[in-house]
Amino acid sequence: MHPRALALSNAAVVLLALLLPRVTLAEPSPWRPIVLSELPPGHMAELRISAGVPIVVRFESELDPAGTRLREKGPSPFESLDVSGRLLLLHPSASAWLWPRMHLQVRRMDGTGLTLVLVPSPPALADVQVDVFLHPFSPGALRVALEKVSAEHEALKLQYASSQDELARYRDDEFNVDVAIAVLLLDDEASSHLVKDKALEVKNADVRALAWFVRLAGRSAYVFFVMNRHRTESWTLGQGAILNDRTRESLPVIVRARPSVIPPGGSGRVVLVTRTPPSASKARYEVQLQGPGDPRWQLCYYGAQL
């Protein structure tokens, strides 16, 4: 080989060796069906193999170990190739990615057979478990299809139950005065006529808010105008709470926010509404706006009155 070509070849091998460990960290595909009758004319079923990624291939009838082998002569790309009943177990070697496409002859115990094409693939696309069916109406294919439909049905049932719960909540909210006041205070125009007091400021490193207190129809509410000062992360309200400073008792509270997610540099409004307690003039409260997880997102206003 010409020295320059040899140098380029060696460089390519070194580059592949450097890239391979990163690729092998990817997650292989867990399961894939092959329906032989649906393959285009003249096409053979393919198995996507990758170095060190074992494959289980399951058939609908028992296999003949003596008739299941590679067509190509010479060294095998597998550390092991085993047949057990209806299962074909393949364990590609660490160097399998260097091999070209190969052909695996599979013979069933009834004498029929088929050929699988072994295609070297990156780990992210490699097969882990494959089911081989003769046609879509064979018992195995119908069983898999039924399992899929059953799983989809269960998912739809859960989605329906969630939708019913959400609908029931909306129906309850329709006649809930606390919710109506919260929604009213979220509106800029409406709240401008109700919010009269001087704003109080609460802030931390990433979030700043102006807070107003409103008492209306036997309810006490805090209106927060929240400004997200973080450069890259959005702010989402996780929970709002009003706690008695002395007893740490949490009052029943309705919390509404608009928008629900405040992007970096953006702003929004959060409203907390509770029924005004009989001892409101004597007690002090802590009003909390808790962001997603990290304490640095939390805003607290101490010594609040209701």
Side-chain angles (χ1 to χ4, degrees):
M1 180 181 291
H2 192 277
R4 184 177 180 184
L6 179 60
L8 289 174
S9 176
N10 291 338
V13 171
V14 171
L15 180 60
L16 287 172
L18 290 172
L19 292 177
L20 182 62
R22 298 184 182 182
V23 175
T24 55
L25 294 175
E27 186 69 23
S29 304
W31 176 80
R32 185 169 66 93
I34 295 176
V35 181
L36 299 177
S37 66
E38 294 181 348
L39 294 175
H43 285 68
M44 291 181 286
E46 295 183 349
L47 290 182
R48 303 188 290 251
I49 67 170
S50 183
V53 180
I55 314 171
V56 178
V57 187
R58 184 167 55 184
F59 295 82
E60 294 182 285
S61 58
E62 292 204 5
L63 305 179
D64 179 6
T68 300
R69 60 184 183 275
L70 287 169
R71 278 188 186 177
E72 287 78 8
K73 303 297 181 182
S76 170
F78 300 106
E79 290 183 7
S80 61
L81 190 160
D82 301 305
V83 173
S84 177
R86 298 188 298 114
L87 299 180
L88 174 63
L89 312 173
L90 306 174
H91 193 164
S93 66
S95 61
W97 62 283
L98 293 171
W99 293 82
R101 293 164 66 100
M102 304 183 77
H103 298 80
L104 179 64
Q105 184 68 41
V106 178
R107 188 168 67 189
R108 304 183 185 89
M109 292 300 292
D110 61 7
T112 61
L114 73 151
T115 300
L116 299 174
V117 182
L118 307 179
V119 181
S121 299
L125 300 177
D127 289 318
V128 174
Q129 180 179 327
V130 175
D131 279 343
V132 179
F133 305 116
L134 292 177
H135 51 76
F137 303 109
S138 60
L142 290 174
R143 174 182 54 79
V144 171
L146 181 60
E147 290 174 355
K148 182 179 179 181
V149 170
S150 178
E152 292 174 351
H153 176 64
E154 290 300 320
L156 287 173
K157 284 172 59 179
L158 290 175
Q159 184 178 351
Y160 175 76
S162 177
S163 299
Q164 290 297 104
D165 291 343
E166 190 74 6
L167 180 61
R169 187 176 71 83
Y170 280 124
R171 285 174 175 168
D172 291 341
D173 288 353
E174 184 179 0
F175 301 101
N176 189 317
V177 175
D178 296 354
V179 173
I181 291 175
V183 173
L184 184 69
L185 292 172
L186 280 178
D187 181 77
D188 292 335
E189 182 178 356
S191 64
S192 67
H193 296 283
L194 299 172
V195 175
K196 301 295 183 180
D197 295 336
K198 183 178 179 181
L200 304 168
E201 184 182 46
V202 288
K203 62 182 179 179
N204 57 37
D206 296 316
V207 189
R208 175 175 177 263
L210 299 176
W212 292 270
F213 174 71
V214 178
R215 185 175 287 169
L216 179 67
R219 274 76 176 174
S220 296
Y222 271 90
V223 182
F224 289 87
F225 181 71
V226 181
M227 292 156 278
N228 182 5
R229 303 190 294 181
H230 200 281
R231 293 182 179 181
T232 59
E233 296 183 34
S234 296
W235 185 86
T236 305
L237 177 66
Q239 181 179 331
I242 300 178
L243 307 175
N244 186 295
D245 269 351
R246 182 175 58 83
T247 65
R248 306 308 294 170
E249 177 188 2
S250 178
L251 298 182
V253 63
I254 291 294
V255 184
R256 292 293 185 269
R258 180 181 295 167
S260 57
V261 178
I262 301 177
S267 60
R269 190 183 293 258
V270 179
V271 177
L272 288 80
V273 178
T274 188
R275 292 178 181 268
T276 305
S279 58
S281 60
K282 299 178 182 179
R284 291 292 184 272
Y285 297 86
E286 177 183 331
V287 184
Q288 296 181 353
L289 296 184
Q290 299 174 2
D294 198 325
R296 66 188 171 87
W297 289 110
Q298 182 167 300
L299 290 170
C300 291
Y301 173 48
Y302 302 97
Q305 287 185 289
L306 300 181

